[in-house]
Amino acid sequence: MLAYMSIPDLFLQERKVVSVLPAAYVGKAYSYALPEGSALPEPGTFVRIPLHSRTVFGVVWEQEDLPPATGALKEILEIYDLPPLSGSQRKFIDRLADYTLSPLGAVLKMTLSAPAAFDSEKGISAYRALAQTDIPEKYRQVMAFLQGGEARTTVQITAATGCSAGMLKTMLRNNFLEKITVTSPPPCEFPDPARGYCELSPAQDTVAQALSTSVRQASYSCTLLDGVTGSGKTEVYFEAVAEALRQEKQVLILLPEIALSNAFLDRFQQRFGCAPALWHSALTPAQRRHTWRGVCTGRTKVVVGARSALHLPFPSLGVLIVDEEHDPAYKQEEQVIYHARDMAVLRAHLEKIPIILVSATPSLETMQNVWEGRYQHLELPARFGGAQLPQIDIVDMRDHKPPDSRHFLSDILRTALQEALTRKEQGLLFLNRRGYAPLTLCRSCGHRFECPRCSAWLTEHRHKSILCCHHCDYSKPYPEVCPVCGDSGSLAPCGPGVERIAEEVKEYFPDSRIEVLASDMSENHDVLKAALTRIRNHEVDVIIGTQIIAKGHHFPKLTCVGVVDADLGLEGGDLRATEKTYHLLHQVAGRAGRESLEAHDPGRVFLQTWMPDHPVMQALAAGARDGFLQAEAAMREAAHMPPYSRLSALIVSGTHEAQTLEIARQISAVAPQTAQIRVLGPAPAPLSKIRNKFRYRLLVIADKSLHIQKTLRHWLGEVKVPAAVQVSVDIDPQSFL
Ligand code: ADP
Ligand code: ZN
Ligand code: ZN
């Protein structure tokens, strides 16, 4: 009978089947046929495959019990000659998908974040010297420059020798040079751990030794590096970086706001002799390609990046560092919803390497882990070189009201600013609100301008003369007349944004040079960098900014900091409102007097508040961080809130309000009946409409002993959700909008 088996069947039986996880919104790996003549690729190999009507990148995934090949099986299109994704990273992807209830392929997509990395290397052309006995005088300089035998580009040679590109062509024709194609070296290939070591203080040295030891041990450990701003935390964790480099390992440093990290990069360069590789959303495709390949091949040693850098394909990480570990920017709120600090701990665990969490104001979650002995705690209690922390004063706005509702600075802050300017020092006014005014209303009819797509007021941006929404991209020209009653001149701004504060400063100090820095500038790195340079060069007297200026900058002349509205973050129903406000204001305060001119001038900070007795204000003024954290912890424990329970948010959204609410109710109706969880809602989200989508929220409070992912998966599986409605799950939510 065998003789009758058709040829195609025989052929099919011999085709090897490979399981491939596509980097796409799919939940599992699929079977693909191996092209004829290809060797079976090992798990982790990068490939390109057809998926529906597209082609996508993917990774060969663990193969267990693959079904036999059928004729319909599609073939792998390309197998890439790159080191495969490590087993620990594949496990990381698995676990992250599982923890966040995200599709596996969507998680992989965060790793395959540089599609250009799979293009074949183009290379650049360069000249190399050929051996010649008789060298004419005019060629000597070029030949001397290329003496070592290395190839150099036209640009390099002309810059170094002053010869023309034309002359190089002549030398090529006359066989003095040859032209070859070279590939440019990946970024941060040879950082030198011994280069710019600076003498550490005894306290710093003790901490640095402990960190280096954990790097040498090459096993999982998690350490909180806890020290006031300016205590030398960066200097100290550079020693852990140096140790990893000595072990020929790779290093990843996560920063919350990479766009602003110029000063950091300069320091790194001084310490290690070369710039680190950068990873953030504003890189060009070519830069992404270059760095991604450098990381994947192990040649790039140190990456400094935003949260997305956590997913780069490092084959040999030696240590992971999360600077400003408390920063909310580590939470990704779109697509795969995850917390990069927590997932960094997971990755370190799976890679069996140490991780260092760094902060002057650790999150309560992290402190809880310290208190329970899961994390090591290393402290740097004092500012380096005996510099003093700034004095923080509470300004009770009930007693120091500005003259009218169009002014926002108290007499105390005005005087302090005046004094700083007289001393030729800088002042900083902090207000976490972009634009001119957060609300515009008509004084004749009371009309308030709202976004047509979101449940949010429109913010006036006066220099652009627009009203715009901070939750979607809606904007319109500032109206001349009220669209409801038709009155002209009746529109009034309510409340301040940074632009309005700038106007007030201009009024009080007409000769001062003012710089407004807001987070909408962070999209344009060059504009921002230029502004920061002007500040450092003291071409600016008063800096007015949103949270963008709270982080990491060293402004040596800054001695007076005013927080315009210290109560701002305390509004709204955010569980962490108090904690977040503390972190932010503490960080802003830390900008003052960092490298103050005289050691006895530590800088001053003024908190304008209507709630001077609030625990946040009291703790900030008293410098009582630990007491504050303990009080906050006690409150959370009493309320059965994280870190003493686990929260998950279910956000149900859709374009039809009734249908959306109905699904939210159905989900609530089939909630598991167990004492281990409590479900709040559904309630309209505080932002009940964004981009024309209605949003309802359910908040799930679960005991930590419960496997919440398993529970949620089972629970949500019971409701049939129509395509017009989306249910997204946010495990450990940070934002409650
Ligand atoms: P942190 O990260 O805790 O805010 P940094 O590492 O940025 O602290 O240090 C604050 C300032 O003190 C920096 O300008 C740094 O260069 C300087 N500094 C810290 N430690 C030392 C040291 N051992 N020797 C010289 N300068 C130091
Ligand atoms: Zn009106
Ligand atoms: Zn909007």
Side-chain angles (χ1 to χ4, degrees), residues 229-235 260-265 267 323-324 383 426 428 532-533 535-538 543 549-558 590-596:
T229 331
S231 57
K233 296 187 293 299
T234 314
E235 218 59 60
L260 300 167
S261 48
N262 258 18
F264 179 90
L265 300 182
R267 275 178 77 180
D323 205 344
E324 311 285 9
R383 270 190 168 183
Q426 284 172 323
L428 181 153
L532 293 172
T533 306
I535 296 171
R536 257 192 307 277
N537 294 344
H538 205 172
I543 308 150
I549 45 102
K551 291 170 199 167
H553 310 293
H554 298 239
F555 300 138
K557 296 265 179 190
L558 177 61
R591 299 305 115 214
R594 278 182 68 92
E595 289 162 40
S596 64

Side-chain angles (χ1 to χ4, degrees), residues 431 433-438 459-463 470 496-501 516 518 520 546:
L431 177 64
R433 247 197 211 140
R434 296 186 274 135
Y436 185 84
T459 299
E460 177 185 356
H461 284 248
R462 190 158 281 193
H463 69 283
H470 285 177
V498 281
E499 288 180 13
R500 198 167 188 187
I501 299 301
V516 177
D520 34 0
T546 63

